[in-house]
Amino acid sequence: MTSSFTGLVVAALVLSGCGSPSEATKDEAVNLKFNFAPGSKFTYAVESDQQIDAPGQKIGQSITMVSSYAVRAGAGTSKNLTVSYDRIAMKMETMGHKLAYDSNDPGTKSSPLATMGGLVGKSFEATLTDEGKVTAIKGAEALVNGTVDPASPNAAAMRAQLNKSLNDSTLRGDMEQSFYIYPGHAVKPGDTWSRTIKLAVGPLSIRAASIYKLTSMSAGVAHLGIISKLEGQGAMDMDGTQTGTMDVELATGMLLDSKIAQTLTSKAGAPTAKITTTIHITGTKK
């Protein structure tokens, strides 16, 4: 999730080719789809850095989230995923104040950011089509209830705040930002396709219209490019762009490396504001 933790986006990208993916040549058409075998497990580490410049405030934050995925068979070609949070680390600087938290560091457990550490060890369920579209989310309410200490005098307010960034809609958007990328038909290097999703960035509801391109294949890896137009509505209307690259291992469909850059700026007539975010994702087999 990015601002308000919604941009801790946890991604899983899977490709399979015509025949054995690892045998695809650099010019061969391939079917790009979510195709992890049931029983597969993998881990993604997501590192995001964000800078918010708005009237009266300047906020910088960096977030690291490590999550594990367990794949089970679903109906037809769909797959069911259990998404578990393994680690959360955060740093924030605003108005001269610096805060830090790392679920792996007991010395930071008293940090005001430590509330999010309650997610570690928790999980939710997601169902995806082979094109990566999320058709169901289960367990969002349990995530919120499990994160907040019921003995806290602020438990009700904390649950209300977390419900804004951890609910079916925000989790679906977070997942689809990286899952719903497949064309639904065979493509070859140079081909493009489009996808449109809705996601949340803090108080903003974002419509992201993206164009994906299979730029090349080499050494068993598919190289994808992405260009997106972002339209945000909420506390302030904003427009922006997103660009990046994704490297995916053809043999397993695992995302090896992804680098994304987002920029949002306020629309004409609104107070000047800008949000810039970079997201780096790496994958590891389990």
Side-chain angles (χ1 to χ4, degrees), residues 1-7 50-54 57 161 164-165 167 169-171 173-174 177 197-208 230-241 262-267 270-277:
M1 295 162 280
T2 48
S3 179
S4 294
F5 316 116
T6 305
Q50 186 175 78
Q51 186 68 45
I52 302 173
D53 292 293
Q57 63 177 331
Q161 182 62 36
K164 296 178 181 179
S165 56
N167 55 60
S169 179
T170 57
L171 291 175
D174 287 346
Q177 189 176 17
I197 65 170
K198 293 182 179 180
L199 51 111
V201 177
L204 296 177
S205 175
I206 304 291
R207 180 182 182 273
L230 307 178
E231 296 179 352
Q233 294 183 328
M236 181 182 296
D237 291 347
M238 306 185 81
D239 288 330
T241 59
Q262 302 171 344
T263 300
L264 285 162
T265 55
S266 54
K267 292 184 178 181
T272 302
K274 185 176 183 180
I275 302 174
T276 56
T277 308

Side-chain angles (χ1 to χ4, degrees), residues 26-275:
K26 64 180 181 179
D27 297 318
E28 181 182 348
V30 292
N31 288 315
L32 309 184
K33 59 182 180 179
F34 184 77
N35 195 40
F36 265 118
S40 299
K41 294 181 179 181
F42 53 98
T43 297
Y44 283 94
V46 181
E47 299 176 333
S48 66
D49 289 286
Q50 186 175 78
Q51 186 68 45
I52 302 173
D53 292 293
Q57 63 177 331
K58 185 172 184 179
I59 302 172
Q61 64 179 2
S62 62
I63 303 170
T64 296
M65 172 170 277
V66 180
S67 301
S68 297
Y69 295 82
V71 184
R72 305 187 315 280
T77 58
S78 295
K79 297 293 191 304
N80 296 320
L81 297 182
T82 298
V83 185
S84 302
Y85 297 101
D86 298 338
R87 179 195 174 204
I88 296 176
M90 307 176 64
K91 293 181 180 180
M92 180 180 293
E93 183 173 357
T94 179
M95 305 295 290
H97 299 286
K98 295 182 179 180
L99 300 173
Y101 171 73
D102 189 336
S103 59
N104 283 353
D105 182 0
T108 63
K109 65 181 181 180
S110 61
S111 168
L113 301 177
T115 298
M116 296 307 296
L119 283 173
V120 175
K122 308 296 191 304
S123 63
F124 68 92
E125 307 288 327
T127 300
L128 285 75
T129 68
D130 59 4
E131 291 185 15
K133 185 172 182 59
V134 178
T135 59
I137 294 287
K138 296 180 181 179
E141 185 176 354
L143 275 182
V144 173
N145 291 336
T147 300
V148 177
D149 182 357
S152 170
N154 299 317
M158 293 169 65
R159 276 195 295 269
Q161 182 62 36
L162 284 174
N163 273 323
K164 296 178 181 179
S165 56
L166 289 174
N167 55 60
D168 288 1
S169 179
T170 57
L171 291 175
R172 184 188 301 268
D174 287 346
M175 295 283 288
E176 287 193 342
Q177 189 176 17
S178 291
F179 279 89
Y180 192 35
I181 67 167
Y182 307 105
H185 54 78
V187 292
K188 61 183 183 298
D191 287 348
T192 63
W193 60 96
S194 61
R195 286 284 183 256
T196 299
I197 65 170
K198 293 182 179 180
L199 51 111
V201 177
L204 296 177
S205 175
I206 304 291
R207 180 182 182 273
S210 303
I211 296 177
Y212 294 89
K213 182 177 183 179
L214 176 59
T215 58
S216 64
M217 295 183 290
S218 62
V221 177
H223 308 288
L224 306 181
I226 176 175
I227 299 176
S228 309
K229 180 180 179 181
L230 307 178
E231 296 179 352
Q233 294 183 328
M236 181 182 296
D237 291 347
M238 306 185 81
D239 288 330
T241 59
Q242 174 178 264
T243 60
T245 59
M246 302 172 178
D247 291 343
V248 181
E249 185 181 50
L250 282 169
T252 63
M254 186 173 69
L255 179 63
L256 300 173
D257 188 85
S258 175
K259 296 180 176 69
I260 301 291
Q262 302 171 344
T263 300
L264 285 162
T265 55
S266 54
K267 292 184 178 181
T272 302
K274 185 176 183 180
I275 302 174

